[in-house]
Amino acid sequence: MSHAVSETPSLPLDADGILALAARSMFELFSSNSQGMFLADKSGRIVWVNEGYQRFLPDLGVASLEDFLGHTVEEVIPNTQMRRVLETGEPVLIDLLTNRAGTFVVSRLPLKEEGGAVIGAIGIVLFDQPETTLAPLISKFALLQRDLDEARRELAAQRTRMRAAGQGERRAKYSFASFVGSSPAAVEVKRQARRAAQSASPVLLLGETGTGKELLAHAIHAASARAHGPFVSVNIAAVPDTLLEAEFFGVAPGAYTGAERKPRDGKFKLADGGTLFLDEIGDMPPSVQAKLLRALQEGEIEPLGSNQIVRFDVRVVAATSRDLAQMVRDGRFREDLFYRLHVLPIRVPPLRERSRDIPALVEVLGEDLALRNEMPPPELSPDALALLAGQAWRGNIRELRNVLEQAVMRSDELLITAGLLREVLLSSGVQPAAPAIESPVSDAAAQGTDDGLLRPLAEQVAELERRAIGATLAANAGNKLATARQLGISRAKLYDRMMALELLG
């Protein structure tokens, strides 16, 4: 009993057959999968249009297919570059075409006979509305470009710092990106500091020790019009009272016994054209306060042992962990100097008021520890992060760094647990508080009121998105890839939203 054997399709065995099959397949593929396609002859007249392209005709101002066929490409497709392809025989694989029908990603391919002469061309619409259809690609490219620009800026800044260090110059070490945090308190203090950077008035940074006041002073200078000038800092608490005047105003040759024979410039002179940072201004003795006030008012100083007046141009940023207003009431700080400095006051919040920033701070501090100790960065379990978020942090970020560094040095594993952190806190004389439990419900909602909802919708949506990303980052110990997966978005999208919401510092 015989059985019929069905023939299965096979590839042609000759080169011409293979080329013919490939050309036919490619033509059918582009015709069926592109947004539209047409053919033009050697003279540029349109001889064929597929069904996909016909939907663009009304937007091009063409009433019917008959009014499109037989016309030259320039007559019916504004801004087309098809004529150049017909004249040169060179393809344009990717191009943007914009006309009354919209913006399109197009491809233009010449058709050639066996001898190589151009006999026509194919126009293919690969994508319409590229701002939507290519949004993921454009977003990824924009993110890569932003990262590249940031790397170039950082490299340029490092080169500048290296040159400045080699020449003994003084420059700001930090920018606003160095102040890590996305909590409302952190965002607000950065907003105020950015505004202060655009002014020439004195800035007074108020806050507990270890909150980042000096870092903000550097950032304000770096973002100001004086960024190319020197940044000079003086820690008043670290300088003996008897030497403060010399430190500020400089010393003339032989001004006192033991003084050098050559003049020594003071900090005001060194900071000329830049920023003078007066750290711990509340520790300044009353005798120096009067002279500092006069220098700030007159814009001039008189070095010790000299009768010469030296003019200077300095923007002052002061900082203190003391209650200056109370010191004024107690008579321990000059009221006129207080008002001279208290022009742009910025309160830097303690860490306990922005505990949601702790996961991001831990990530940055961990990377710094890893870099300095040539080791992989540590990872913290979710319960360890919750424990850190629940502490009072009297020493603020400085204390957090110390606890984290102790835990890393004590652990044989990369993963830092809550148990190990409790041991470190206890050994430092701190009774660990209960881990923080962050509620997704706002205080107003928890109280059963609608006060928190009486705000612009965009503001509320941004706040909810910020909370969702922050909570997921905390749950994943700062791992961006795991966070993106849990949120159901790409990592590029996560970085894009974090940048838009100022979650990257």
Side-chain angles (χ1 to χ4, degrees):
M1 183 176 180
S2 62
H3 297 276
V5 179
S6 60
E7 295 184 2
T8 58
S10 60
L11 284 173
L13 298 179
D14 61 300
D16 291 340
I18 291 175
L19 288 174
L21 174 63
R24 185 171 62 254
S25 299
M26 291 295 292
F27 186 89
E28 292 175 353
L29 178 67
F30 278 117
S31 179
S32 58
N33 289 281
S34 67
Q35 299 299 314
M37 191 166 76
F38 70 87
L39 297 181
D41 62 17
K42 184 178 180 180
S43 66
R45 295 188 180 278
I46 296 174
V47 297
W48 176 85
V49 179
N50 77 342
E51 186 175 346
Y53 200 94
Q54 293 179 32
R55 63 192 177 96
F56 302 126
L57 299 186
D59 292 329
L60 289 171
V62 179
S64 65
L65 180 60
E66 289 72 21
D67 294 330
F68 191 73
L69 293 173
H71 289 269
T72 62
V73 288
E74 294 87 356
E75 291 176 329
V76 290
I77 306 176
N79 303 327
T80 181
Q81 299 297 315
M82 184 64 80
R83 181 67 61 182
R84 183 188 304 172
V85 176
L86 291 167
E87 292 175 350
T88 65
E90 296 295 329
V92 178
L93 299 180
I94 295 290
D95 194 16
L96 278 178
L97 171 65
T98 300
N99 53 38
R100 69 186 72 172
T103 298
F104 309 93
V105 178
V106 299
S107 183
R108 307 181 187 98
L109 307 175
L111 295 174
K112 299 180 180 181
E113 62 180 3
E114 292 184 3
V118 176
I119 58 175
I122 303 176
I124 305 170
V125 179
L126 299 174
F127 299 101
D128 61 343
Q129 299 179 336
E131 67 277 4
T132 301
T133 55
L134 298 181
L137 181 62
I138 294 173
S139 176
K140 185 174 183 180
F141 175 78
L143 187 62
L144 290 172
Q145 186 64 45
R146 192 157 51 233
D147 290 345
L148 178 60
D149 292 342
E150 184 176 343
R152 284 172 173 167
R153 286 194 298 269
E154 181 62 26
L155 181 60
Q158 288 182 5
R159 287 172 175 168
T160 301
R161 287 196 293 268
M162 291 175 64
R163 287 196 300 268
Q167 299 169 5
E169 296 181 8
R170 303 164 186 261
R171 291 287 184 267
K173 300 177 183 177
Y174 309 104
S175 66
F176 285 117
S178 307
F179 192 89
V180 178
S182 60
S183 64
V187 170
E188 175 61 17
V189 75
K190 283 191 281 189
R191 184 191 69 81
Q192 292 182 23
R194 285 191 179 97
R195 290 189 61 184
Q198 307 309 311
S199 168
S201 300
V203 179
L204 181 60
L205 301 173
L206 306 167
E208 299 175 6
T209 180
T211 52
K213 298 187 296 296
E214 183 173 0
L215 187 152
L216 276 178
H218 280 264
I220 290 171
H221 171 74
S224 72
R226 297 173 175 264
H228 296 293
F231 178 88
V232 179
S233 62
V234 183
N235 189 322
I236 295 171
V239 181
D241 293 355
T242 54
L243 297 179
L244 267 178
E245 284 190 55
E247 190 75 10
F248 278 135
F249 309 127
V251 180
Y256 52 86
T257 303
E260 297 182 11
R261 295 193 175 186
K262 60 181 181 179
R264 178 174 178 269
D265 291 333
K267 300 301 185 185
F268 275 99
K269 179 64 176 176
L270 293 174
D272 190 35
T275 300
L276 177 62
F277 175 51
L278 306 177
D279 198 8
E280 298 300 344
I281 189 73
D283 289 13
M284 179 175 287
S287 59
V288 183
Q289 291 178 25
K291 296 183 179 181
L292 174 63
L293 174 64
R294 182 186 180 282
L296 295 178
Q297 287 177 336
E298 304 299 329
E300 59 185 32
I301 56 173
E302 187 175 323
L304 290 180
S306 171
N307 294 322
Q308 299 259 332
I309 297 297
V310 178
R311 301 286 301 174
F312 66 86
D313 174 25
V314 164
R315 197 269 180 92
V316 171
V317 177
T320 182
S321 57
R322 297 175 177 267
D323 186 348
L324 280 191
Q326 184 61 48
M327 292 180 67
V328 169
R329 290 191 289 271
D330 294 342
R332 291 181 293 132
F333 197 85
R334 290 182 65 103
E335 186 173 12
D336 44 9
L337 178 58
F338 173 77
Y339 289 122
R340 185 74 186 180
L341 298 172
H342 197 268
V343 179
L344 292 172
I346 299 176
R347 179 181 176 271
V348 185
L351 187 54
R352 60 182 171 274
E353 293 183 10
R354 54 187 193 103
S355 57
R356 72 167 63 178
D357 293 332
I358 286 180
L361 284 165
V362 166
E363 183 176 1
V364 171
L365 295 174
E367 290 176 352
D368 181 61
L369 286 172
L371 186 63
R372 287 192 289 110
N373 293 283
E374 298 183 350
M375 57 183 288
E379 296 181 7
L380 273 71
S381 62
D383 57 339
L385 285 171
L387 179 65
L388 292 179
Q391 305 311 304
W393 299 117
R394 291 174 298 174
N396 295 290
I397 299 173
R398 192 173 291 123
E399 182 184 2
L400 174 63
R401 176 191 288 273
N402 177 266
V403 169
L404 185 61
E405 187 166 8
Q406 286 193 59
V408 170
M409 295 299 107
R410 293 187 187 190
S411 176
D412 294 327
E413 307 290 338
L414 287 178
L415 183 66
I416 306 298
T417 64
L420 176 59
L421 290 176
R422 287 192 182 91
E423 293 178 10
V424 172
L425 289 169
L426 286 170
S427 67
S428 301
V430 177
Q431 185 63 38
I437 302 177
E438 185 175 354
S439 172
V441 183
S442 67
D443 295 338
Q447 296 169 5
T449 69
D450 292 333
D451 293 346
L453 303 178
L454 301 180
R455 294 177 294 147
L457 182 61
E459 181 181 327
Q460 298 186 57
V461 171
E463 180 180 341
L464 183 60
E465 189 174 5
R466 188 180 291 110
R467 286 184 177 182
I469 293 176
T472 312
L473 277 170
N476 290 286
N479 188 301
K480 307 290 192 306
L481 181 58
T483 298
R485 287 174 177 169
Q486 189 167 347
L487 290 172
I489 59 177
S490 67
R491 185 160 58 172
K493 181 68 173 178
L494 174 64
Y495 274 102
D496 185 60
R497 295 311 303 149
M498 289 178 69
M499 184 166 292
L501 296 168
E502 296 187 335
L503 293 176
L504 290 177

